[in-house]
Amino acid sequence: MGHELYEDGTFTGAYFGRQSGWHTLGLTDEESAEPVEAYAKLGVGRERAETLYLSDGRPTNWSVIMRDGKDGKPIVVSEPVAGTWFWLPHAEAAEIASRATGGHKVETIGVIGAKRGDIMFCTFPMREVKVVGEEHKQYVFFLSSLRRGTASVLGVTDVRMVCWNTIELGISRAQSIFKAGHRPNVVADTLAWFQEVWGTAQDRGDEIVACAEHLATIRVNEKMLAEAMVTILPFRPEPRATGSSKRDKDNATWVAAANARTAQAHSLVVDLFNGKGAGLGTAATADNAWGAYNAVAEYVDHYVPARGGEVARAEFALVGDGVQIKSRAAKVLGKL
């Protein structure tokens, strides 16, 4: 079926707080429950690793992830994986979500992958923000995967995830994403990052709302944003003379290239502000500092080159230099 919810006999794959998904499948509670309790209600058997053997009976360094279905028959959940491959059972992922959020109630939780049920997803509701008459609701989402590529995915989105299609949409619209691979420290990394994102979202919620409402009252045009970008993302100064002609030439070339990239970034932010950015150009963001700030944030979260792949990008956007750029943008734009 299109929504890809895992089905095991009469099992319908998901649990929803307050309202069901568009597909009307799954369990629904009026008040919802915390992750471990909600996941337990799904009735999914616990996963286990089973060693693969050669035809002569000798064990290999490979295994597959299995679980027992409701009929007692074993279900192969993963492709064969090497012994160096580290993974999280879905139940343990739910425990991480409970620990990281302090037992906060889920909005949705479910298991995806119609045949294997190899991905668990859950979302947590955050505060609703109203800016210029438009309501914005955000969710912290967490995916735990038994597929080869990625073990854990965490981020903030404005999409309520209830099926595979909404998971893809939610990830595409996420402001920042953290991904952990199947490595030895996947549990510690996932828990630490979850706690960091959750704590920041909770602690700074009121501050963010007040800032958004203030920025929405300040009129900004393309020229004003371009001028503000010189302070938000400044150019590098001319390099000092070193006494070595070759070194001075190399330094000058490097600074010129860096400033060319900065000029391109300024131009990109203005283009995003003019309607090319996700959700920009609406009544809530058009021609005001709130829209300008969102253009800067989209550039930082999605366009800044990051060495080390998606994890490095997420670190830059959420706890690294990207935070400083966005904070500077809020201060500069707030004084226009």
Side-chain angles (χ1 to χ4, degrees), residues 19 33 88 123 125 134 221 259 283:
Q19 59 178 327
L88 286 174
T123 64
E134 290 190 357
N221 57 36
N259 286 337

Side-chain angles (χ1 to χ4, degrees), residues 107 123-126 137-141 155-160:
E107 176 75 14
T123 64
F124 299 84
M126 304 300 290
K137 188 168 184 178
Q138 290 190 320
Y139 304 91
V140 171
F141 71 88
V156 180
T157 187
D158 59 355
V159 177
R160 186 176 189 260

